[in-house]
Every structure is written in structure tokens, then in C-alpha cells.
């Protein structure tokens, strides 16, 4: 770990009595003047802050009023959409408009007439064919329901709501902008603030191609929003036309026309900012508090979307009263604060020499801490170097154990193959002798039978040896490859298990693997093979220490397309609860005297979280075994 430098704390050089404590009165003036200006500056800004906080309740009241109005309006919009869907899916209406057959206009007129009573807001119910020509129209004026004659029906093909309605599909509803009602090119007076709900009757639904339209007059509903309010709400649409204004003569006039007459509420730049929907919902303009909120009419597409802006404002004298009250609250304590600060500065200077001693001691301790910090930094760097060295040694040790185990395991199949070949050679000599003395059919038959059995046994042993060498070769190549590649995760797990068989057999430990036949992922094959090698080694070294045999269960399953979950469980000794919390810490081991470094699980944690971008967790009960859960991404997203 290196040689530590002894920490020696001494008084820092050049540490003298600061100039500020030498002449108290001069220092008092120098210190107090900036503070005086700072406190004055802060007082002014606190005044502005409190003033703004006093505005907030009024803004909140305005916003609540806007929210209530918008909620009421939204409920009515939802009711309008429900009404047109109710009429569209009326059984009698659908039966009267079958595709490929002449419509039953008299039946449709009856359906429209009966439906007109469901809402007092309905002013018209119409059905237009695919050319935009009205085929059935029912006008509602109070209790008067009028079925319009055929000769009075109009061509609405140029109207935007008809063109938008023909593009609708299925259950979609188009909600038009709010406009004055126009008949035969003339605006109906007094103004009827009309909104239209449109649905498409399409051939794919088994109906005649056209649109169903219901007109709703919103005058009463809009007026109800201002009941009991001294300040009247204003509503403007996204094209700049007033939908509702305290001055009724300005309804459906552009805000630019409104400004020609008066500019006491909003100037043109503020209106333009609101219409552009810039982040301006509460603001002060011309000594008024003004708030606004936005609502979309229906679920129309972006190109046909209509919006309404609800605007509320305060009385003009409100701000003057609030400003006077806040000024009294803020500036009255300012003089008292300045006097208190003056006394505190004097006290500070008076006790300067005592504070100097304290500063001196702190400086000495700071120097000592700095020296200690340097020593800790050196020790940490040495620890990192040692850890890296131990990681490499562990890798080499793991590979060496694999080579030794592989050599031991190869003895069995290669020895079997050698024995079978010796047996085959003996049979050959017997056959040669029989040929010399006189070959019988039974001798030849016995030779062929023994030869077939011998060759099959030799091939089986050689295949076993080949599989062992292939598994080891794949692991050795993978662990020297630093690039992420596609590979079969199941094959890597089986290779690691295969190369560990010599140790497992000697300890009577069985490893069972369950999962899909093939599971291809893109990751670091070498890291993953070393990861599973460490997990199996950990189970052998700790899980089954002092036990005669056991079982390790590896379960692989893919719950999502992005991640694979691997559970590695054993029925070994388990882990105590107090050690379980620090099981992944470096150098954490209870078998250091047996040559264990405590880096195995720490490296597993680092590999899977830092390199593989996955996660690892553990659960255990003493005497009942341990279970590790590994979550590995299917596709490794390497940092660019």
C-alpha cells in the first residue's frame, strides 16, 4: 500500500492579523456602506416579490373562474358530441339511409323532429348528401319545429364544416368554429352564436354517403358563464374574432376593429401574443391583472382545429391599493434592519481579534486535512492498482483451473477410445489367424459384430473429447475478444458448465439448465462466460463449503423483447442477513484465510451493471440456499 507520509500540522506562513481588524471605525464605514446599498436593493426586490405574491390570489381567483367557465364549456362540448353520436347511431335513422337504396326522407324527418327535443340548444338538424346539398333539414325555434321544404334546401358544398365532415371516419366527430348563423347569405339577427357538430355517414358503414349536422345555439350557455360576476369574461377565437364581449356590438368583430374604438383592455401586441399561444397566461397590463386560458373545440385534426381563448381582467384601481399596502409592510422594517446590521458589524469588528485566533486554528486544521487527503488519494490509487492486478490473477487462475479440469476430463474419453482401438486390433489378429487356419462364417460374423460395437464406442468417446475441446476453445476465444458480438447465450452457459464438470463431479455437485434451445443476444460473450464462471465458482467455494454434494439450478427465460432474465439458485449454505447487504462490496469474504480475495461477486456486479448495462440481485436464507437474479439486455447499446 506504500509508505505513508506523517501528517504534521503547523501554522501557515504569512498568516497575520487582517487589516480589517486594525482600525475598527474605518472598517465599520467601509463595510456598512455596501451593506446599506445591498439591503436597500434587496428591500426593493422583496417589495416586488411580495407585491407579486399579493397578485397571486387575484390571479388564482381569475384562473378558478376561467377553469369553471372552461369546465362548463367542455361539458357542453362533450354533451354535443354525445348527442350527434346518439342521433347517428339511431336505428331508425340508419334504416332510413341504406347504402345502394333510395333514402326514406320522410322517416328521417320524423327522426330529426323527435330528436330536436333532447336539447334546448339545438337550432337545426340536417343531412347533406356527398355533393353538399341539403336533403333533409329541421329548424327548431323554441317550441316551433319546422321541416324545411325541398325547394328551400341549400347547397352547402363550399362550407368548411361540410368539407371537413366528408373526411371523417368511423366514430369521429368534427366540431366547427363558433360563427353567427347565416341563411341564404344573410346573418340572422339577433346574432345566433352557433357551433356545428358533424359526422360522416359512409358507405363502409352501410349508409348513404353524406354528412349529419346538428347546429347548436350557445347564446344562453355563454351568458350563463357571467352570471353574478361584476367583471365579464371575454372569449376570442384563434382567428382573432370576439365570441363574447361585454360590448355585444363587438361580437364576431376582429380585435383590430375593437382597438379602433377603444384600447382600455388589451393592446394589439398582447392579443397577438395570446393568439400565438406564447407562455403568457397571467400578466399585468395597463394597471390591470389579466389571465387567460385556452380550450380546443373537439378532437379535430391540426389543420381544422379551432381554439377559444377565455380572458378575465381585474378592476383598474385594484393594483394601487395593493401597492400601498405592500410598501408599508416592506419599507417600514428596512430602517430597523439597517440599525441592527450596523450594530452587528460593530460587534463583529470588536471581537475581531478573538475571531482571528479561531481562523488561525481552522487554517492549521485545514492544512492537516489537506495532507491527510493526499495520503488517502495515494492509498486509493494503490488499492485500485492492486484490485486490477488481482482481477487479472483471478482470470488467469480461472483459465488455469479450466485447463486442468479439461485435461483431466479428456483422459476418460481418450482412454476409452484407446482401449476400444486395442480391442479392435486384437479382433483383427484373431481374424487373420482364422483366415490362415480356415475362415468360418461364424468367425467373420463375430468379427463384424465386435468391430461395429468397438467403432461406435470409439466414436462416442472421441465425440465427447471433441465437445470438451470445442467448448473450451469457444470460451478461450470469447474471453480474448473485447467487441460486442451476436452469440447464443444458452451455448455459452452450457460451455461454462461443460468446462466446470471435472470440479463439479469431484464434489458431487449437479448443475441443471432450463431454458430455450437457442437464445441469440448481442453482447460481450467473454464477459458473460466469465460472469457465469464466477457465479459457479462462488457456489462451489461458498455455497457448498463443508457439504457433501448439492445442486445448482440455472433458469433462463425472456419475459420481454429487450431483456433476458437468468436465475442461478443453489441449495447450499445460504448467506447471513448482515452479509447479504454488502455481498457485492469489494474484498468482502468470510473465507480470506482459505485464499479467497472477496472480488468474485464484486466483479460480477461491476461487469453486469457497468459493461452489460443490466442488473443483479440476490436473495438468501441461511441453510436454505441462495438465488441470484441477473437481468441482461438482449441488444447492448454501446456508448457512441
Amino acid at each position: 500500500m506504500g509508505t505513508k507520509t506523517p501528517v504534521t500540522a503547523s501554522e501557515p506562513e504569512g498568516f497575520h492579523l487582517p487589516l480589517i481588524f486594525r482600525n475598527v471605525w474605518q472598517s465599520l464605514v467601509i463595510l456598512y456602506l455596501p451593506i446599506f446599498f445591498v439591503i436597500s436593493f434587496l428591500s426593493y426586490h422583496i417589495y416586488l416579490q411580495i407585491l407579486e405574491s399579493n397578485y397571486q390570489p387575484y390571479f388564482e381567483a381569475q384562473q378558478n373562474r376561467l377553469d369553471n367557465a372552461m369546465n362548463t364549456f367542455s361539458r357542453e362540448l362533450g354533451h354535443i358530441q354525445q348527442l350527434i353520436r346518439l342521433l347517428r347511431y339511431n336505428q331508425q335513422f340508419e334504416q332510413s339511409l341504406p347504402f345502394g337504396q333510395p333514402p326514406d326522407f320522410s322517416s328521417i324527418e320524423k327522426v330529426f323532429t323527435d330528436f330536436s327535443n333532447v336539447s334546448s340548444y339545438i337550432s337545426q338538424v340536417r343531412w347533406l348528401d356527398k355533393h353538399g346539398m341539403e336533403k333533409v333539414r329541421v329548424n327548431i325555434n323554441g317550441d316551433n319545429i319546422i321541416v324545411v321544404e325541398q325547394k328551400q334546401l341549400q347547397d352547402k358544398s363550399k362550407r368548411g364544416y361540410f368539407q371537413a365532415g366528408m373526411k371523417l371516419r368511423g366514430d369521429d366527430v368534427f366540431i366547427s368554429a363558433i360563427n353567427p348563423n347565416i341563411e341564404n347569405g344573410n346573418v340572422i339577427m339577433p346574432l345566433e352564436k352557433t357551433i356545428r357538430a358533424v359526422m360522416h355517414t359512409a358507405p363502409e358503414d352501410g349508409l348513404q354517403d353524406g354528412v349529419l349536422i346538428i347546429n347548436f345555439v350557445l347564446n344562453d350557455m355563454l351568458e350563463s358563464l357571467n352570471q353574478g360576476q361584476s367583471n365579464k369574461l371575454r372569449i376570442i377565437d384563434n382567428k382573432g374574432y370576439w365570441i363574447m364581449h361585454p360590448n355585444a356590438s363587438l361580437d364576431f368583430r376582429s380585435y383590430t376593429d375593437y382597438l379602433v374604438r377603444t384600447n382600455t383592455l388589451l393592446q394589439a401586441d398582447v392579443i397577438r401574443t395570446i393568439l400565438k399561444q406564447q407562455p403568457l397566461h397571467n400578466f399585468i397590463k395597463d394597471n390591470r391583472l389579466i389571465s387567460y386560458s385556452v380550450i380546443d373545440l373537439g378532437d379535430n385534426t391540426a389543420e381544422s382545429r379551432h381554439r377559444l381563448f377565455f380572458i378575465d381582467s381585474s378592476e383598474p384601481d385594484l393594483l394601487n391599493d395593493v401597492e400601498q399596502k405592500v410598501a408599508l409592510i416592506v419599507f417600514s422594517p428596512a430602517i430597523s434592519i439597517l440599525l441592527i446590521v450596523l450594530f452587528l458589524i460593530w460587534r463583529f469588528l470588536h471581537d475581531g481579534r478573538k475571531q482571528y485566533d479561531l481562523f488561525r486554528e481552522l487554517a492549521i486544521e485545514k492544512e492537516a486535512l489537506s495532507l491527510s487527503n493526499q495520503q488517502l488519494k495515494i492509498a486509493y490509487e494503490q488499492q485500485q492498482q492492486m484490485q486490477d492486478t488481482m482481477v487479472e490473477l483471478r482470470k488467469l487462475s480461472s483459465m488455469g483451473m479450466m485447463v486442468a479440469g479439461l485435461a483431466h476430463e479428456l483422459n476418460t474419453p481418450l482412454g476409452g477410445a484407446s482401449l476400444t482401438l486395442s480391442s479392435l486390433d486384437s479382433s483383427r489378429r484373431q481374424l487373420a489367424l482364422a483366415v490362415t487356419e480356415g475362415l468360418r462364417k461364424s468367425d467373420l460374423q463375430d468379427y463384424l459384430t465386435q468391430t461395429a460395437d468397438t467403432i461406435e464406442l470409439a466414436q462416442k468417446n472421441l465425440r465427447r473429447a471433441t465437445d470438451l475441446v470445442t467448448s473450451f476453445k469457444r470460451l478461450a476465444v470469447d474471453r480474448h475478444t473485447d467487441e460486442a458480438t451476436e452469440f447464443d447465450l444458452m451455448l455459452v452457459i452450457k460451455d461454462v458448465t461443460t468446462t466446470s464438470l471435472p470440479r463439479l463431479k469431484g464434489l458431487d455437485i449437479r448443475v441443471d439448465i432450463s431454458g430455450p434451445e437457442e437464445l441469440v443476444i448481442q453482447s460481450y460473450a467473454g464477459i458473460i462466460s466469465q460472469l457465469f464462471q464466477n457465479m459457479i465458482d462462488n457456489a462451489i467455494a461458498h455455497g457448498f463449503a463443508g457439504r457433501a454434494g448439492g445442486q445448482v439450478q440455472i433458469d433462463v427465460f425472456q419475459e420481454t423483447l429487450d431483456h433476458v432474465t437468468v436465475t442461478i439458485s443453489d441449495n447450499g449454505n445460504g448467506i447471513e442477513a448482515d452479509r447479504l447487504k454488502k455481498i457485492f462490496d469489494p474484498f468482502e469474504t468470510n473465507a480470506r484465510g482459505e485464499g479467497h480475495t472477496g472480488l468474485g461477486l464484486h466483479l460480477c456486479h461491476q461487469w453486469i451493471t457497468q459493461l452489460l448495462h443490466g442488473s443483479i440481485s440476490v436473495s438468501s436464507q441461511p441453510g436454505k440456499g441462495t438465488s441470484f437474479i441477473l437481468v441482461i439486455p438482449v441488444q447492448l447499446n454501446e456508448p457512441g
Side-chain angles (χ1 to χ4, degrees):
M1 295 296 291
T3 303
K4 291 187 177 180
T5 303
V7 177
T8 304
S10 60
E11 181 176 349
E13 296 181 1
F15 196 90
H16 303 292
L17 179 66
L19 182 63
I20 191 173
F21 298 123
R22 296 179 183 178
N23 191 323
V24 174
W25 294 108
Q26 182 179 357
S27 298
L28 178 64
V29 174
I30 295 174
L31 291 176
Y32 183 71
L33 285 178
I35 294 176
F36 174 82
F37 290 115
V38 168
I39 291 179
S40 301
F41 176 80
L42 291 177
S43 299
Y44 176 72
H45 281 272
I46 290 172
Y47 163 77
L48 296 180
Q49 293 273 346
I50 297 178
L51 187 63
E52 184 177 350
S53 66
N54 277 263
Y55 294 158
Q56 197 61 35
Y58 299 101
F59 278 132
E60 290 177 357
Q62 289 179 349
Q63 196 62 52
N64 289 336
R65 186 180 173 204
L66 291 174
D67 290 343
N68 291 334
M70 293 176 65
N71 288 336
T72 301
F73 193 85
S74 295
R75 286 197 300 271
E76 293 301 332
L77 282 181
H79 185 56
I80 288 171
Q81 291 176 321
Q82 292 175 356
L83 287 178
I84 192 168
R85 288 192 176 103
L86 181 64
L87 178 58
R88 160 62 182 81
Y89 294 108
N90 181 280
Q91 185 176 4
Q92 185 177 352
F93 173 73
E94 291 184 335
Q95 292 174 352
S96 304
L97 202 66
F99 177 68
Q101 301 179 28
D104 186 353
F105 292 134
S106 61
S107 178
I108 294 175
E109 291 174 356
K110 183 178 183 308
V111 173
F112 286 0
T113 302
D114 294 340
F115 187 80
S116 63
N117 295 318
V118 300
S119 173
S120 60
Y121 295 155
I122 297 178
S123 62
Q124 284 185 1
V125 185
R126 295 176 285 168
W127 182 78
L128 283 64
D129 65 13
K130 64 181 179 180
H131 303 295
M133 187 66 193
E134 292 180 336
K135 293 300 183 181
V136 180
R137 186 175 80 186
V138 174
N139 293 340
I140 300 96
N141 185 8
D143 295 331
N144 296 326
I145 301 175
I146 302 172
V147 178
V148 179
E149 298 178 358
Q150 289 291 324
K151 62 182 181 180
Q152 295 180 340
L153 297 178
Q154 303 175 36
D155 181 3
K156 302 292 185 178
S157 61
K158 302 298 183 183
R159 296 296 177 89
Y161 58 80
F162 166 75
Q163 297 171 358
M166 289 298 294
K167 298 177 182 179
L168 297 176
R169 291 293 180 269
D171 197 42
D172 294 342
V173 176
F174 173 78
I175 301 296
S176 72
I178 300 177
N179 295 311
N181 194 21
I182 300 175
E183 292 295 339
N184 296 315
N186 298 318
V187 178
I188 303 300
M189 299 299 293
L191 292 174
E192 295 180 354
K193 301 177 181 180
T194 304
I195 193 171
R196 297 161 183 85
V198 184
M199 287 191 73
H200 187 196
T201 60
E204 53 263 29
D205 297 328
L207 303 177
Q208 289 280 348
D209 198 8
V211 292
L212 175 65
I213 305 173
I214 303 179
N215 288 19
F216 296 87
V217 177
L218 303 181
N219 292 47
D220 294 339
M221 188 273 289
L222 293 174
E223 288 300 323
S224 69
L225 301 179
N226 278 322
Q227 288 182 356
Q229 301 291 337
S230 57
N231 290 339
K232 303 300 182 182
L233 287 176
R234 293 149 173 90
I235 302 177
I236 191 170
D237 66 12
N238 55 306
K239 294 184 178 179
Y241 290 93
W242 293 103
I243 304 302
M244 186 171 70
H245 193 280
N247 183 358
S249 65
L250 297 179
D251 287 344
F252 298 110
R253 295 286 188 91
S254 169
Y255 74 93
T256 54
D257 297 336
Y258 165 69
L259 288 170
V260 172
R261 294 164 174 77
T262 174
N263 61 355
T264 57
L265 175 62
L266 298 174
Q267 296 180 1
D269 58 337
V270 178
I271 291 287
R272 281 192 292 269
T273 300
I274 292 176
L275 295 181
K276 291 178 181 178
Q277 302 173 51
Q278 296 181 5
L280 181 71
H281 291 275
N282 299 300
F283 58 96
I284 300 173
K285 189 70 174 179
D286 297 331
N287 215 29
R288 288 177 182 263
L289 300 176
I290 302 172
S291 301
Y292 83 91
S293 292
V294 186
I295 187 173
D296 289 335
L297 297 180
D299 301 323
N300 304 341
T301 59
E303 61 271 12
S304 58
R305 180 172 298 157
H306 302 291
R307 287 183 168 177
L308 296 181
F309 298 84
F310 287 64
I311 305 173
D312 195 6
S313 65
S314 67
E315 295 291 344
D317 296 332
L318 175 66
L319 291 185
N320 291 331
D321 297 337
V322 174
E323 289 173 354
Q324 292 177 5
K325 180 180 69 173
V326 173
L328 182 64
I329 294 173
V330 174
F331 293 117
S332 295
I335 297 176
S336 299
I337 294 175
L338 289 172
L339 291 175
I340 292 173
V341 170
L342 181 63
F343 170 77
L344 292 176
I345 293 176
W346 176 83
R347 184 62 181 240
F348 165 75
L349 296 172
H350 183 267
D351 298 337
R353 293 186 180 276
K354 294 182 180 179
Q355 293 176 2
Y356 161 74
D357 294 335
L358 177 60
F359 292 155
R360 176 176 170 275
E361 293 176 3
L362 290 176
I364 294 173
E365 292 180 2
K366 180 179 178 182
E367 185 177 358
L369 288 174
S370 177
L371 292 174
S372 298
N373 184 56
Q374 292 177 4
Q375 293 179 355
L376 289 174
K377 184 178 179 181
I378 294 173
Y380 176 75
E381 292 174 353
Q382 292 174 345
Q383 178 185 344
Q384 289 295 107
Q385 293 174 359
M386 178 178 292
Q387 181 173 334
D388 293 341
T389 302
M390 295 185 72
V391 169
E392 293 302 321
L393 289 175
R394 183 175 182 86
K395 289 182 179 179
L396 293 174
S397 174
S398 175
M399 187 63 72
M401 293 175 65
M402 287 173 56
V403 171
L406 178 66
H408 177 77
E409 189 70 12
L410 283 174
N411 284 335
T412 300
L414 292 178
S418 176
L419 182 61
T420 54
L421 290 176
S422 296
S423 176
L424 180 62
D425 184 59
S426 177
S427 298
R428 180 193 60 78
R429 289 196 298 271
Q430 291 178 3
L431 179 63
L433 181 60
V435 170
T436 304
E437 297 176 353
L439 180 63
R440 292 176 297 177
K441 182 178 180 181
S442 59
D443 293 334
L444 181 59
Q445 185 66 39
D446 291 341
Y447 172 76
L448 293 176
T449 301
Q450 292 176 3
T451 300
D453 293 340
T454 302
I455 291 174
E456 181 181 357
L457 183 58
Q459 288 177 340
K460 181 178 179 181
N461 282 286
L462 291 175
R463 280 197 301 271
R464 173 61 179 160
T466 301
D467 290 342
L468 287 171
V469 173
T470 301
S471 297
F472 177 78
K473 182 179 178 182
R474 276 196 297 263
L475 290 180
V477 171
D478 288 342
R479 293 184 185 181
H480 287 83
T481 301
D482 295 332
E483 297 181 355
T485 59
E486 287 191 355
F487 59 92
D488 184 358
L489 177 62
M490 297 302 298
L491 183 60
V492 169
I493 296 175
K494 292 174 182 177
D495 286 344
V496 172
T497 305
T498 299
T499 56
S500 300
L501 280 178
R503 298 178 61 203
L504 297 171
K505 286 181 179 180
L507 299 172
D508 194 20
I509 298 173
R510 188 175 79 256
V511 177
D512 295 328
I513 303 172
S514 67
E517 289 295 326
E518 182 181 18
L519 182 54
V520 178
I521 68 173
Q522 189 265 343
S523 190
Y524 295 113
I527 293 297
I528 288 182
S529 68
Q530 186 67 52
L531 172 67
F532 283 101
Q533 182 73 53
N534 280 18
M535 299 300 295
I536 293 175
D537 289 348
N538 185 75
I540 295 173
H542 302 286
F544 300 111
R547 287 180 173 252
Q551 179 186 7
V552 176
Q553 179 68 37
I554 301 178
D555 297 312
V556 183
F557 52 94
Q558 185 173 1
E559 293 182 338
T560 67
L561 295 177
D562 298 329
H563 292 85
V564 174
T565 301
V566 181
T567 302
I568 305 175
S569 305
D570 64 66
N571 58 352
N573 296 319
I575 305 171
E576 298 82 0
D578 57 339
R579 291 191 61 246
L580 198 62
K581 299 178 181 178
K582 51 184 179 180
I583 195 68
F584 297 117
D585 292 349
F587 306 108
E588 172 60 30
T589 180
N590 61 351
R592 196 176 308 279
E594 301 174 11
H596 298 286
T597 63
L599 286 176
L601 290 180
H602 172 66
L603 293 176
C604 291
H605 183 273
Q606 294 295 100
W607 288 335
I608 197 167
T609 58
Q610 303 297 324
L611 295 178
L612 304 182
H613 306 299
S615 64
I616 181 172
S617 59
V618 60
S619 60
S620 180
Q621 291 185 6
K624 295 185 179 180
T626 304
S627 179
F628 290 89
I629 300 176
L630 285 64
V631 179
I632 303 173
V634 172
Q635 184 75 22
L636 181 65
N637 295 322
E638 298 184 83

